[in-house]
Amino acid sequence: MSGDGSAGGEGTSGEGGGSDGSLTDRAAAAADSDVSEWLSLEPGEEVVWVGEPTKLRMVGTLVTGVVLIPFLIGILILLFSPLSYLGIKHTDYVVTNRSLYVKQGILSTNIESVDLDRIQNTEFTQSFWGTQLGFGTIEISTAGSSGADISFDDVEDARDVREEISRVQRAAGGASGRDGTGGGSGDRTSGRRAANADQLEELVAELRATREALERVEARMDDRAGNGPSSNAGPSNGPDPSSDADSDGVPDSLASDPDDR
């Protein structure tokens, strides 16, 4: 999907006020929707918004298929268009006061989630057909990720949904700062710090044990090296080879000079 629309920190608060009622209606209908069949909420977690890809996104697929009918590929596109419809009907997007959820799958179910306190950036994009028909995509990325972690593809009122996500995220962050509830970032941060401290202590203990073991091995090698010559050397038996030699190292029998004998 091409990013023809705005992205990143685009201001959308001016356009989101007119559809607050529709977002509230969707949140009220969330309890009666099918998300209760696959979504398990934690204590204190509440559904804020629920939606699915708009069926209007099929307009581009159908138009493309009709245009390409003379090239035969258009017939294939039209034949597989029912799969696109099934994909829409089996996709759900949910925003709660703690996390974002995406459920997809026709034969099997795949559920992805991102906690609100981990969201680093939300990006709004629109394709050509999205600009014409009023739908767009919201891409959500977290700190340290190379791209979007999850995305709400082809949703109606995408700008307003993005604003609602930002509002819920701010509310969750404020609640966490006041009483330690909501997003739970403080508890998670302290838990990670405690885990890192425990790992550091274990690493230091292992390094100390390794150093002590190396010192014991080195001491044993030094003991063996010190006792080696004395244990291997025996008493000297037999005449000294140099006894018949004079101070110059020449035997008396071979000295030519009488004075050297």
Side-chain angles (χ1 to χ4, degrees):
M1 179 176 294
S2 60
D4 299 333
S6 57
E10 178 184 1
T12 58
S13 58
E15 302 180 13
S19 60
D20 288 343
S22 62
L23 292 177
T24 304
D25 294 339
R26 292 182 186 181
D32 299 330
S33 64
D34 294 336
V35 298
S36 59
E37 298 179 357
W38 57 267
L39 181 60
S40 298
L41 299 177
E42 298 179 356
E45 187 175 11
E46 299 177 356
V47 174
V48 177
W49 177 87
V50 61
E52 64 180 14
T54 178
K55 300 177 183 63
L56 292 175
R57 77 175 186 180
M58 293 191 62
V59 172
T61 302
L62 296 176
V63 170
T64 303
V66 171
V67 171
L68 295 178
I69 283 180
F71 301 97
L72 298 180
I73 189 173
I75 298 177
L76 295 177
I77 294 175
L78 295 176
L79 289 176
F80 283 98
S81 59
L83 292 178
S84 299
Y85 178 78
L86 290 176
I88 293 174
K89 297 303 295 182
H90 289 81
T91 299
D92 290 313
Y93 306 131
V94 178
V95 178
T96 71
N97 59 344
R98 294 187 182 179
S99 303
L100 307 181
Y101 298 90
V102 175
K103 192 270 291 183
Q104 294 175 313
I106 299 175
L107 300 178
S108 61
T109 300
N110 179 43
I111 300 174
E112 299 177 328
S113 66
V114 169
D115 294 337
L116 292 176
D117 58 355
R118 295 183 57 236
I119 295 177
Q120 183 76 13
N121 184 51
T122 58
E123 183 176 350
F124 168 76
T125 59
Q126 278 185 309
S127 65
F128 170 78
W129 291 107
T131 303
Q132 304 303 315
L133 301 175
F135 62 86
T137 294
I138 306 169
E139 297 180 345
I140 297 99
S141 58
T142 60
S145 62
S146 58
D149 291 275
I150 62 173
S151 61
F152 291 178
D153 297 325
D154 303 327
V155 295
E156 295 181 1
D157 303 323
R159 294 175 184 267
D160 302 323
V161 175
R162 178 171 175 263
E163 279 296 311
E164 184 69 10
I165 293 173
S166 299
R167 184 191 66 79
V168 175
Q169 185 182 11
R170 289 193 298 269
S176 174
R178 288 191 301 270
D179 53 16
T181 60
S185 60
D187 295 339
R188 288 173 183 158
T189 301
S190 60
R192 285 194 295 267
R193 289 178 179 175
N196 292 336
D198 294 339
Q199 293 176 356
L200 181 59
E201 291 179 359
E202 293 178 359
L203 179 60
V204 171
E206 291 179 359
L207 291 175
R208 288 177 178 173
T210 303
R211 186 184 65 180
E212 292 175 357
L214 291 175
E215 290 177 352
R216 289 194 297 268
V217 171
E218 184 178 1
R220 292 179 182 177
M221 294 179 64
D222 292 341
D223 292 342
R224 292 180 180 178
N227 297 332
S230 60
S231 61
N232 294 330
S236 177
N237 297 324
D240 186 359
S242 61
S243 60
D244 294 337
D246 59 5
S247 60
D248 296 333
V250 180
D252 296 339
S253 59
L254 298 179
S256 59
D257 192 349
D259 297 335
D260 292 337
R261 294 180 181 179

